[in-house]
Every structure is written in C-alpha cells, then in structure tokens.
Amino acid sequence: MNQITHWINGALDTQKVERSGEIFNPATGKVTAGVALADGATVDRAVDAATIAFASWRHSSLTKRTQILFTFRELVLQNKERIAALITEQHGKVLSDAAGEVTRGLEVVEFACGIPHLLKGGFSEEVSTGVDVYSIRQPLGPVAIISPFNFPAMVPMWFFPIAIACGNTVILKPSEKDPSAAMFMADLWKQAGLPDGVFNVVHGDKESVDALLNHPGIKSVSFVGSTPIAKYVYETGTKAGKRVQALGGAKNHMVVLPDSDLELAADAAINAGFGSAGERCMAISAIVAVEPIASALVARIKSRMADIKTGDGAKGADMGPLVTAVHRDKVASYIDAGEKAGATLVVDGRDVKVDGDGFFLGPTLFDNVTPEMTIYKEEIFGPVLSILRVNSYEEALQLVNSHPYGNGTAIFTNDGGAARRYQNEVEVGMVGINVPIPVPMAYFSFGGWKNSLFGDTHAHGTEGVSFFTRGKVVTSRWLDPSHGGINLGFPQND
Ligand code: NAD
C-alpha cells in the first residue's frame, strides 16, 4: 500500500516510520494509503532544514522570489485537475468544488507575486535636520502552518505563498486525513526552483503539532481548524513566545428578511448549506427566517433538496460523502438529537441510499429550531440546515450576535438600508449581502470574530504580509559631505 511520508529539505523522508495513520477514499470507504505520523525527532529535522534554508532564502532577491512564485503559479494551474482529483479521492468533495478550491488558493499565489510592492516600507526625509527615518519589513524565520481536512489545498495556500514571498521558510502540517494535495504542491515548488528546505511538509497528529508549538526554532504558527484546538494552539503557541493566528470553527447564519427574493434565498441556502456536504467553515447552517416568509422559504428549500444527487464526487454527484465514518456518524447523531429536542425534521438525510460502503449522509432540513437546541448551539460540519423563525430584524440580529461563533453571515433583502444596518451591527467577521458565502478574496483578509479566531491577524491580504514579517524602523544621519571627511569635490566650508 502507498505510504505517504514527510517532505523535508526538498526530498521524501527516508527515515523508518514508527507510527502511521490510514487514508480513506470516503466515497468507497476503502483504505487507499497510509500516512506517517511525525514524532518530535522528525519535527526537529524539518525545523533544522528550514533553519538552514532561511539563512540564504531571507537574502534572496525580490526578483528571484517573484520569478519562483510565477513559475509555481503556472505549475499549479497546469496541474489543477490532478490536484482536484487527489482532493476528491481523500476528502470526498465533488471535482468541481475541489478545482474551485485550487483556484482560490492560486489567487493568493498571484497576490504574493506582487511582493516587491507589498514589502515596500515608508520613508520620511528630514525628520530632524539631516536625519531621515524609514521602515523596513523583515521575515520571521521558519514558520509553521497547521491546516484542517476540509480545504487541503486552499487553506495551506492562504498562508505559504505569502510566508515564502516574505522570505520565511515553512513547515506545513496538513490534515492527516487528506495529505496528498500538500505533497503534490511540495513537488511543484521544487520544480519551480524553490531552494530545498524552504518548504517542508510534516504529517501527523497532536504529537507533531505539540512539537511544532514548543519548538524554539519555530517563529510563528498559522492554524486553521476546530475551535477547541484553535484555542489550545493559540494558548500553547503564545505561551511559548510565538506569534499565532488560529482560525476556529463556525456557525454561520443567513438572515432572510420578508422583502427578499425567496427564489434567490432558497438557491443560496442549497449551495451554502450542502456544498461540500456542509464541510466548509463558511457553510450556512442556520437560516433565520423573519416572518411571515418562513413557510414559503422552507417549501422552496425542500423542493430543491429533492434534486440533490448524493454520491461519489468523482462520478458526477452533486454532493459527496463526509470525510470519515466517524464524522458521518457524529453528524447523524446531531440529526437524532434535533429530532429528540422537538425540531421539525422536514428532510431526513439518514434515509439516503448510495451503493457501496462510502460515508454518505443525505441533505437534511430542520424547521422550528430554537436557540437552546444542541443542533443550533454546536457546529455540526455536515449537510444539516436549521430554520429558526423570528418576528423581526431586531430579533434576528440579537440571535446572530448572541452566538459564540462569528465567522461568516449573510443577509437576504431588497432593502439597501436594512443591509447597511446589518453590516454595521452584526458581530461577525465576514458578511454577505444577497451572497451566501462571502468567498475569501486574496487581496482582502479572511477571518472571523469571537470563537472563530484566536489572535488578531486574519489570513492573507496585507494582514498576511504583516503577520509574516517584523517591522523595523531606522533613524539615520549621514553627515553632509561639506562637513569634511574625504573631499568628494563638494564646495568646502572655511
Ligand atoms: P481539527 O481541529 O480536528 O484539526 C485541525 C488540525 O489540527 C489538523 O491538522 C489536525 O491534525 C490538528 N489536530 C487535531 N487534533 C489536535 C489536537 N488534539 N492537538 C493538536 N492538534 C490537533 O479540524 P478539522 O476537523 O480538520 O477541520 C474542520 C474544522 O476546521 C471545523 O471546525 C471548521 O469550521 C474549521 N475551519 C475553519 C476555517 C476558518 O477559516 N475559520 C476554515 C476551515 C476549517
């Protein structure tokens, strides 16, 4: 069986594998590969490689870095379908979704190609007589990126193009559930001419994460995953003196006002609720319907759900399986809990029939969900949509703002003033107006509020550049040549 191992110093690691995990194809339920799980010694070797590479990479010219980034961009583009196929095989999402995430990641590479402009500092002449002050930004050193299973290409690409462009070296610890996209990209970096040791991939679970968090050679940690782990990573990493940005889980609300276009809102609910089987941090999982339109909206969503074909994402299905059997069972247990709590089960995904042993669960819709129910309070991370009925905008806003998560939200309305008020008053990091999923745009920054982000720097955009660099301010005085020294031909004072 194929054994996926680490990528250290520009090559596959050849050390004996002490511990390993299993990789599944979620559409068939079959084990397709093993993955090495790193211990502290493996992490040490990766950090050593990244430390040695940093000494010269930090002095590489901006022109050289840009050329390598452009070449990497071309290679990823040429191989987009292959990367998408790897993602579908290990994650389960449909091929078009997988290709879409590669495109989104590429946009960050394209943003990073502009690094000569992004790293320009400021300059103030003559702050005092003969004195100038200027600012420069310098790389941190070896940086760690720890990513989740649900975007095995895009989430690492939120960080590593910018980190590398800024002159850092990287150790990526991808999810142990779908590590092959990261390995494929490591090879593309090598083909693009990136020096060995600048980009390393270490696979593993808690043991490898802890080793990275406590390693004195690691200067910053960019984490994306569930809220309990994000909080742990933030607390442990900052305690060890590192700069940390830790993006956590979500419970995204979509508020539908009575004046909205219900056809548009229902289409949006389907795409944002069931795309990627709900395994997206920007998935909509709670719809707040402001009366009197709730029943009309539920009817429209229900009728569209009948057309969603659940099946193998590589074979033309609309919605693929969940990532593992354990996760499928966990999501199904939320459906049990919702039923027990008294929510109205409009469509039951547990009834779905797909041939084989894949980890499938059909799209599910609950109506009359109330705030104290577990299916509302917790992140489900599966194809389960909940409708909450409220009587006013104020009630809807209060609901959204009371929730501990604050990643993304959407409002559907034809009233610009209502939308404007919502964008101002809602306590959430990313807002869509008649758009269900405000997608991450590379040149803006991506990140939530409250329990959806620990640390204060969002991913990519100019915030990414400042996260991966340290500012330095230089105050300089050069004596005027006429003051003496070597006679350079300037007029001399008496
Ligand atoms: P996860 O928290 O289980 O794992 C994330 C990473 O942490 C993985 O690399 C994993 O190996 C590692 N990890 C797991 N358990 C650990 C532990 N006990 N100690 C140290 N490290 C550990 O998350 P997941 O299931 O891979 O991903 C889904 C979660 O990620 C969801 O909660 C989703 O909302 C969130 N997510 C958030 C964003 C965002 O932008 N806020 C984006 C994508 C995913």
Side-chain angles (χ1 to χ4, degrees):
M1 194 175 54
N2 178 22
Q3 179 76 24
I4 298 165
T5 184
H6 319 291
W7 179 269
I8 298 175
N9 208 20
L12 287 172
D13 194 37
T14 52
Q15 299 272 317
K16 185 167 177 285
V17 174
E18 301 290 345
R19 239 168 25 97
S20 65
E22 289 180 324
I23 309 281
F24 291 88
N25 179 337
T28 62
K30 303 252 180 323
V31 175
T32 56
V35 60
L37 302 175
D39 56 10
T42 307
V43 169
D44 285 349
R45 283 189 291 113
V47 180
D48 287 349
T51 305
I52 292 166
F54 178 66
S56 48
W57 181 244
R58 63 162 300 193
H59 293 300
S60 58
S61 70
L62 292 174
T63 310
K64 180 174 178 196
R65 291 183 213 169
T66 310
Q67 281 165 354
I68 292 172
L69 279 159
F70 268 108
T71 311
F72 178 71
R73 185 236 176 224
E74 287 307 307
L75 289 168
V76 174
L77 197 60
Q78 282 163 24
N79 288 283
K80 188 158 94 174
E81 304 307 323
R82 287 181 69 188
I83 299 171
L86 286 174
I87 295 170
T88 296
E89 191 188 309
Q90 295 182 344
H91 173 286
K93 66 176 72 175
V94 303
L95 280 171
S96 56
D97 244 7
E101 81 158 278
V102 180
T103 302
R104 285 267 105 82
L106 267 176
E107 289 168 3
V108 182
V109 181
E110 287 157 6
F111 172 79
C113 286
I115 200 68
H117 181 70
L118 294 162
L119 280 183
K120 278 196 296 198
F123 194 102
S124 294
E125 191 181 38
E126 214 77 344
V127 294
S128 183
T129 307
V131 176
D132 304 327
V133 175
Y134 49 96
S135 63
I136 50 183
R137 299 208 69 89
Q138 297 187 319
L140 308 177
V143 300
I145 299 166
I146 301 163
S147 56
F149 81 84
N150 68 321
F151 284 108
M154 181 186 78
V155 167
M157 286 163 102
W158 282 351
F159 306 104
F160 69 62
I162 298 176
I164 289 173
C166 290
N168 301 284
T169 53
V170 168
I171 294 162
L172 168 64
K173 206 301 285 171
S175 170
E176 66 278 32
K177 296 189 178 94
D178 46 14
S180 287
M183 293 303 283
F184 196 92
M185 290 191 287
D187 189 53
L188 296 186
W189 273 124
K190 188 160 176 110
Q191 290 179 42
L194 191 72
D196 292 347
V198 176
F199 183 74
N200 306 277
V201 183
V202 164
H203 304 290
D205 49 15
K206 180 172 168 51
E207 189 174 341
S208 57
V209 172
D210 284 342
L212 286 166
L213 292 176
N214 292 301
H215 199 298
I218 292 290
K219 301 303 173 198
S220 76
V221 179
S222 301
F223 173 89
V224 181
S226 58
T227 287
I229 314 291
K231 191 160 187 275
Y232 168 77
V233 165
Y234 182 76
E235 287 171 357
T236 314
T238 50
K239 202 166 166 197
K242 300 181 200 317
R243 186 178 285 201
V244 182
Q245 50 180 179
L247 285 72
K251 189 81 188 178
N252 303 319
H253 296 68
M254 173 171 136
V255 174
V256 183
L257 294 187
D259 71 325
S260 66
D261 178 334
L262 290 189
E263 304 301 334
L264 183 73
D267 285 342
I270 295 290
N271 291 333
F274 305 123
S276 205
E279 290 173 327
R280 286 180 181 147
C281 64
M282 292 301 275
I284 292 292
S285 65
I287 296 187
V288 187
V290 181
E291 294 290 24
I293 52 85
S295 295
L297 181 63
V298 170
R300 282 167 173 76
I301 295 173
K302 183 183 173 189
S303 79
R304 283 162 169 78
M305 286 172 73
D307 297 332
I308 299 174
K309 195 173 141 228
T310 305
D312 189 335
K315 295 186 179 157
D318 301 316
M319 192 177 93
L322 292 171
V323 68
T324 56
V326 173
H327 188 54
R328 189 261 324 270
D329 294 347
K330 184 177 171 203
V331 176
S333 78
Y334 275 109
I335 305 177
D336 303 341
E339 235 183 344
K340 261 198 209 109
T344 312
L345 187 52
V346 182
V347 180
D348 187 350
R350 294 169 301 187
D351 296 338
V352 77
K353 301 268 177 292
V354 183
D355 287 343
D357 298 321
F359 313 138
F360 294 101
L361 192 69
T364 298
L365 181 64
F366 276 112
D367 194 3
N368 298 307
V369 174
T370 51
E372 72 288 350
M373 293 180 185
T374 317
I375 54 166
Y376 174 70
K377 289 199 287 203
E378 295 181 9
E379 178 182 41
I380 299 176
F381 220 56
V384 181
L385 257 185
S386 294
I387 309 275
L388 292 97
R389 296 176 175 232
V390 299
N391 290 311
S392 65
Y393 165 86
E394 288 301 335
E395 217 184 308
L397 180 74
Q398 218 259 328
L399 201 57
V400 181
N401 282 352
S402 308
H403 208 285
Y405 290 108
N407 210 40
T409 186
I411 186 161
F412 279 72
T413 178
N414 280 318
D415 185 323
R420 190 169 181 277
R421 244 179 86 179
Y422 189 69
Q423 83 184 22
N424 176 266
E425 294 175 341
V426 75
E427 288 170 17
V428 172
M430 292 170 284
V431 183
I433 297 175
N434 295 321
V435 170
I437 303 183
V439 289
M441 295 312 299
Y443 35 90
F444 283 91
S445 296
F446 183 94
W449 287 15
K450 302 192 280 190
N451 281 354
S452 298
L453 177 83
F454 300 90
D456 49 16
T457 316
H458 292 185
H460 58 70
T462 48
E463 285 191 56
V465 176
S466 55
F467 183 82
F468 286 117
T469 52
R470 289 191 287 185
K472 191 180 267 182
V473 175
V474 181
T475 306
S476 88
R477 171 188 282 140
W478 289 102
L479 296 188
D480 190 275
S482 62
H483 279 67
I486 304 169
N487 186 342
L488 298 172
F490 289 88
Q492 294 290 302
N493 294 335
D494 289 333

